[in-house]
Amino acid sequence: MSDAVTIDIHGHVIPMRLMGHAGPFGPEVYRAENGDETLRIGNYTIVAEGLVTGRISDPKKSLARMDEAGIDIFGVSIAPMMMLYWLERELGVKWAAEVNDALAEFCEADPDRLFFIPTLPLQDIETSIHEMDRARSIGGRGIYIGSEAVGRELADQYFWPVYEHAEKTNTPILIHPYPVGQDGDPGNVGKEDAKLDWSRGAMMTWMVGYLHQETLAISSMLLGGVFDAFPNLKVSITHGGGSIPYQFGRLEQALSRMGEGQTVTRQKAQKPLRTYLKNLYFDSVVHDPKARQYLVDFAGADNVLIGSNFGGWDGVNGVAYVRELGLDEESERKILSTNAAQLFGLEERVKKLEARR
């Protein structure tokens, strides 16, 4: 078994200093009539027990839970409900900067063990590039974006200046979905469509919808020519990449049929799709061990990272999820530590923690 310094790149926090800073979208925490601690973001509400008590807002409590889980270094990102790409431009720009400042402050509790993955105000691409650089200057590593944003899929050339800058600065992208229906009118609290409301109540958006969104996001980038235009761009996808590892052959089969005269003409990939797998990294939040092992077989040990959804509703012990596969020591070390250290530029932190042992 590897004694590697472990790095978890998938977990969320909600700094309480952000409450009330997104205009009509809040956010706010209140007690519902039934006593549940509830988080409201626009017209979207979820039960958020532990938010006020610090389970996902207090860095000291996060560090203690990291110790229990065997996590040495943790990359925090804002909860996906708080990406808020639908805010009016000026407020959206301000919100993204405040989120990144709050995450930087969170990580000050232990700069050797905590780092943050910045959000961007994708309402404004030019400002997003500036915020990418500013966030890096205060400790950010990589960038964190939704599986689609401002009504556009990720292959849309609207985003290409961000990809160009990310490639130029060797900045990895972490893609994470956000809940369906958040971009509605914040004045319609409690008036959501009944079908959508049922899905929320059953957590369908999170359980199933996220996997669907991830699959669409990566398929869009693969088929839309993103990795042809930016061959050195590095993209990490949460929850094991949705269906991508398990239905990749379907994409290849479809691509082979997209010739002249076919209905589908939007694909722009110039190479066999497996050529682009070197650009993709998948986290290990795959709950079935056989499926998790297949993920490693599909992507290779060089392109899998620890993920746990640390602090999330379905959070797991990401370290244990890797160790229980019984991989050879070199492969295990890559997934537990080396891949993330190289991807997010954490080699010096790893050395420092190794020296403390």
Side-chain angles (χ1 to χ4, degrees):
M1 184 174 69
S2 169
D3 62 349
V5 170
T6 57
I7 305 172
D8 186 345
I9 57 87
H10 179 188
H12 309 296
V13 297
I14 302 179
M16 292 302 292
R17 63 177 269 186
L18 294 172
M19 297 299 110
H21 285 234
F25 283 85
E28 67 170 328
V29 179
Y30 64 93
R31 286 286 176 189
E33 291 183 3
N34 64 1
D36 285 344
E37 188 176 317
T38 303
L39 175 67
R40 180 189 72 82
I41 306 171
N43 66 1
Y44 193 86
T45 60
I46 59 170
V47 175
E49 291 298 334
L51 182 57
V52 172
T53 56
R55 186 177 67 87
I56 56 174
S57 59
D58 183 339
K60 292 182 180 178
K61 292 188 177 182
S62 290
L63 286 163
R65 293 174 61 219
M66 287 166 59
D67 290 338
E68 293 174 0
I71 299 169
D72 295 311
I73 300 175
F74 174 33
V76 305
S77 51
I78 195 65
M81 303 86 70
M82 300 175 80
M83 291 176 175
L84 299 185
Y85 298 132
W86 39 91
L87 291 179
E88 177 272 326
R89 179 200 164 279
E90 184 176 348
L91 181 57
V93 167
K94 181 181 178 183
W95 171 255
E98 290 193 13
V99 167
N100 292 334
D101 288 344
L103 293 178
E105 180 181 65
F106 185 96
C107 294
E108 288 174 1
D110 192 333
D112 291 334
R113 299 188 63 195
L114 297 170
F115 71 97
F116 75 96
I117 306 174
T119 191
L120 297 179
L122 291 175
Q123 299 93 323
D124 184 318
I125 290 298
E126 183 177 351
T127 304
S128 290
I129 292 170
H130 291 310
E131 181 60 19
M132 194 188 312
D133 292 336
R134 189 194 73 86
R136 187 185 309 110
S137 75
I138 60 173
R141 294 288 183 271
I143 53 175
Y144 171 72
I145 68 175
S147 49
E148 58 96 26
V150 294
R152 301 170 186 264
E153 60 187 32
L154 294 186
D156 195 307
Q157 293 195 14
Y158 173 85
F159 299 112
W160 284 28
V162 169
Y163 302 154
E164 180 180 22
H165 194 66
E167 183 184 51
K168 178 181 177 181
T169 57
N170 197 29
T171 300
I173 298 173
L174 175 64
I175 295 175
H176 195 295
Y178 55 81
V180 172
Q182 276 195 274
D183 53 350
D185 181 353
N188 288 337
V189 177
K191 303 177 184 178
E192 298 90 343
D193 176 83
K195 183 177 180 181
L196 180 59
D197 189 56
W198 180 89
S199 295
R200 287 177 183 168
M203 297 184 75
M204 288 292 185
T205 292
W206 291 2
M207 284 193 296
V208 179
Y210 276 14
L211 305 180
H212 172 66
Q213 291 173 62
E214 288 156 343
T215 304
L216 287 177
I218 295 302
S219 298
S220 166
M221 297 181 84
L222 287 167
L223 297 174
V226 171
F227 300 113
D228 294 293
F230 310 105
N232 296 311
L233 187 67
K234 302 298 184 184
V235 173
S236 176
I237 185 74
T238 50
H239 309 108
S243 299
I244 290 294
Y246 312 100
Q247 292 292 344
F248 198 79
R250 182 174 177 84
L251 293 181
E252 292 177 307
Q253 173 70 1
L255 184 61
S256 72
R257 302 282 181 97
M258 290 180 182
E260 273 189 45
Q262 296 297 318
T263 302
V264 182
T265 59
R266 296 178 62 194
Q267 78 82 16
K268 300 176 183 177
Q270 300 299 307
K271 302 175 183 177
L273 291 187
R274 288 183 191 263
T275 305
Y276 309 119
L277 287 178
K278 63 180 175 57
N279 299 85
L280 300 178
Y281 294 79
F282 303 83
D283 80 13
S284 60
V285 186
V286 177
H287 301 278
D288 185 284
K290 291 182 179 179
R292 203 179 319 132
Q293 179 63 61
Y294 180 76
L295 171 64
V296 177
D297 294 340
F298 168 79
D302 290 331
N303 289 69
V304 179
L305 312 167
I306 296 178
S308 67
N309 197 23
F310 190 85
W313 69 277
D314 66 340
V316 300
N317 187 318
V319 175
Y321 261 33
V322 175
R323 292 200 188 280
E324 71 181 21
L325 294 179
L327 303 172
D328 63 84
E329 185 171 345
E330 181 182 4
S331 295
E332 184 176 276
R333 179 177 290 275
K334 287 178 178 180
I335 297 172
L336 292 176
S337 184
T338 307
N339 297 340
Q342 293 176 346
L343 190 63
F344 289 95
L346 303 170
E347 294 95 337
E348 291 304 314
R349 297 194 195 195
V350 169
K351 290 178 182 178
K352 185 178 291 188
L353 293 184
E354 286 176 338
R356 292 181 187 174
R357 292 181 169 179

